[in-house]
Amino acid sequence: MAVILGIESSCDETSAAVCRDGEILSNVIANQDVHKEWGGVVPELASRAHQQNIIPVVDNALKQAKVNKSELTTIAFTRGPGLLGPLLVGTSFAKSFAFGLNIPIIEVNHMQAHVLAHFIDEPKPQLPFLCLTVSGGHTQIVLVKDQLDMEVIGETTDDAAGEAFDKSAKILGLGYPGGPMIDKHAQLGDKNTFQFPEPNISGLDFSFSGLKTAILNFINNNVRKDDDFIKNNMNNICASIQNRIVTILMNKLEIASEQTNINEIAIAGGVSANSGLRKGLEEYGLKNNWNTYIPIFEYCTDNAAMIAIVGYFKFLKEDFANQDIETLARYPL
Ligand code: KG4
Ligand code: ZN
């Protein structure tokens, strides 16, 4: 029997989840509103908020799962990648709690966890599959050979897709995080109104920094002519930006599918909550005969259920970590 407590604290969500033999019994997430007024995540404030949230969040996760701490067999925690201060809070808590309970710990790569979010609920992708992992810090196409054996076959050379959304939102004067705001406006606009360039980058890698500059220039040029340009065109601008980001992602995924001959295609990470990307995946799926997979919203953005699931697969392999393990702000897959 494996009763695993998962802990996630890599960025601005404090989360704890309980998983019994691969089944998620609870997944509690505390968001941090403190960053909104700063227009982005402030690491120091995030660390402090994690410190305040971690015990109530874990307590709630145990209560909701109706599991007593004495029943836990293992604690899995995010080792990286992420912000060092926030990671240290989760890691230190996980180690101390496990030490007190005299149970082993399992370290988890946050990006691997986004991929394995697909193994929480049905339908689960067939191995091998391709997973486009798109978050605030990463954009990767991952070839998943096995739950614990995956290879990055394409990734961004500059900004992540989430950053492209967030930076575009900042240019438009929308709040943080900008991705959901762009999505909201985009749903009311026409995606073919404005044309933004597709980056000229070969192979399976991505680039989003040129798009950001193109958007900035486009907005500045138009605002110079018309003060109210953004206000009067917000929905169409957002729809056009979103459409370009989605087609960049989908076109690369299409090449990856052709190259690997794999038609089990999944998306994961915070940006996979985007309605345009979800629709785009369905459309490309129909066109290319893919079986497509998108986690439920709760498992797209940062959460501890995905950490607990990785913990479960590692538990089956008895892949435990030592108490002296360190956090890693950079932690390649
Ligand atoms: O995976 P995640 O929660 O945290 C990281 O590990 O980075 O991803 C956060 C990113 C942010 O950039 C946020 O703007 C983006 O996901 N995001 C969205 C949407 N929801 C979250 N981007 C576009 N549309 C959305 N609906
Ligand atoms: Zn994430």
Side-chain angles (χ1 to χ4, degrees):
M1 164 93 71
V3 185
I4 299 173
L5 173 70
I7 307 270
E8 157 64 27
S9 72
S10 66
C11 192
D12 60 344
E13 264 99 25
T14 317
S15 182
V18 178
C19 169
R20 184 189 284 133
D21 290 334
E23 184 194 348
I24 296 297
L25 303 180
S26 65
N27 182 42
V28 175
I29 304 168
N31 303 111
Q32 302 178 359
D33 283 338
V34 62
H35 307 290
K36 283 210 169 104
E37 64 180 289
W38 302 97
V41 178
V42 184
E44 175 70 22
L45 296 179
S47 307
R48 289 171 192 229
H50 283 303
Q51 198 129 34
Q52 284 174 347
N53 293 341
I54 189 98
I55 289 178
V57 163
V58 168
D59 199 37
N60 261 327
L62 290 169
K63 279 193 183 120
Q64 283 185 24
K66 297 191 174 54
V67 164
N68 189 283
K69 63 181 193 289
S70 62
E71 295 171 73
L72 294 173
T73 57
T74 319
I75 297 181
F77 63 93
T78 305
R79 183 185 186 192
L83 301 168
L84 195 59
L87 285 168
L88 280 169
V89 177
T91 307
S92 305
F93 176 86
K95 284 184 185 184
S96 323
F97 199 23
F99 189 72
L101 294 170
N102 197 23
I103 56 176
I105 51 172
I106 290 175
E107 58 92 14
V108 173
N109 181 309
H110 180 89
M111 297 314 293
Q112 181 175 29
H114 272 303
V115 175
L116 292 196
H118 286 283
F119 291 88
I120 296 175
D121 288 332
E122 298 295 339
K124 295 171 179 147
Q126 300 288 312
L127 296 165
F129 69 97
L130 294 178
C131 187
L132 171 72
T133 313
V134 271
S135 71
H138 293 83
T139 299
Q140 301 177 327
I141 299 178
V142 184
L143 168 58
V144 187
K145 300 171 210 168
D146 178 81
Q147 280 88 354
L148 299 179
D149 182 9
M150 38 187 91
E151 184 189 338
V152 178
I153 58 172
E155 64 187 323
T156 185
T157 53
D158 41 57
D159 290 349
E163 269 176 295
F165 273 107
D166 294 338
K167 287 179 177 172
S168 303
K170 207 166 194 172
I171 294 171
L172 296 172
L174 299 170
Y176 180 87
M181 296 298 291
I182 298 251
D183 193 355
K184 206 173 112 200
H185 286 287
Q187 291 181 42
L188 303 169
D190 174 0
K191 65 181 184 182
N192 297 313
T193 316
F194 304 110
Q195 300 303 321
F196 295 106
E198 177 142 16
N200 186 12
I201 178 161
S202 62
L204 296 177
D205 285 340
F206 300 91
S207 168
F208 288 101
S209 65
L211 176 64
K212 177 188 63 194
T213 311
I215 293 168
L216 185 62
N217 291 339
F218 167 81
I219 294 294
N220 285 342
N221 287 339
N222 281 287
V223 168
R224 221 171 281 138
K225 288 181 252 164
D226 170 11
D227 280 348
D228 291 332
F229 177 75
I230 295 180
K231 201 174 85 199
N232 292 338
N233 295 279
M234 186 65 99
N235 295 341
N236 289 341
I237 298 170
C238 288
S240 304
I241 291 173
Q242 180 165 299
N243 180 49
R244 175 45 79 213
I245 297 173
V246 169
T247 52
I248 291 171
L249 294 170
M250 283 299 126
N251 289 344
K252 292 288 180 175
L253 203 46
E254 201 167 43
I255 302 172
S257 166
E258 279 164 17
Q259 281 185 4
T260 55
N261 224 353
I262 291 174
N263 69 351
E264 291 284 299
I265 311 285
I267 58 173
V271 182
S272 57
N274 182 266
S275 63
L277 184 58
R278 288 171 167 248
K279 214 181 283 164
L281 184 70
E282 267 173 36
E283 283 166 15
Y284 275 65
L286 279 176
K287 182 172 96 176
N288 293 295
N289 241 339
W290 293 344
N291 297 322
T292 58
Y293 303 88
I294 312 175
I296 61 164
F297 187 83
E298 182 181 344
Y299 301 144
C300 286
T301 47
D302 288 347
N303 68 86
M306 66 183 192
I307 305 301
I309 277 291
V310 180
Y312 174 64
F313 285 109
K314 287 193 157 187
F315 179 92
L316 295 177
K317 296 246 152 85
E318 296 183 25
D319 186 358
F320 302 114
N322 289 324
Q323 271 281 346
D324 61 0
I325 194 161
E326 290 173 354
T327 49
L328 296 172
R330 288 176 178 277
Y331 186 3
L333 259 184

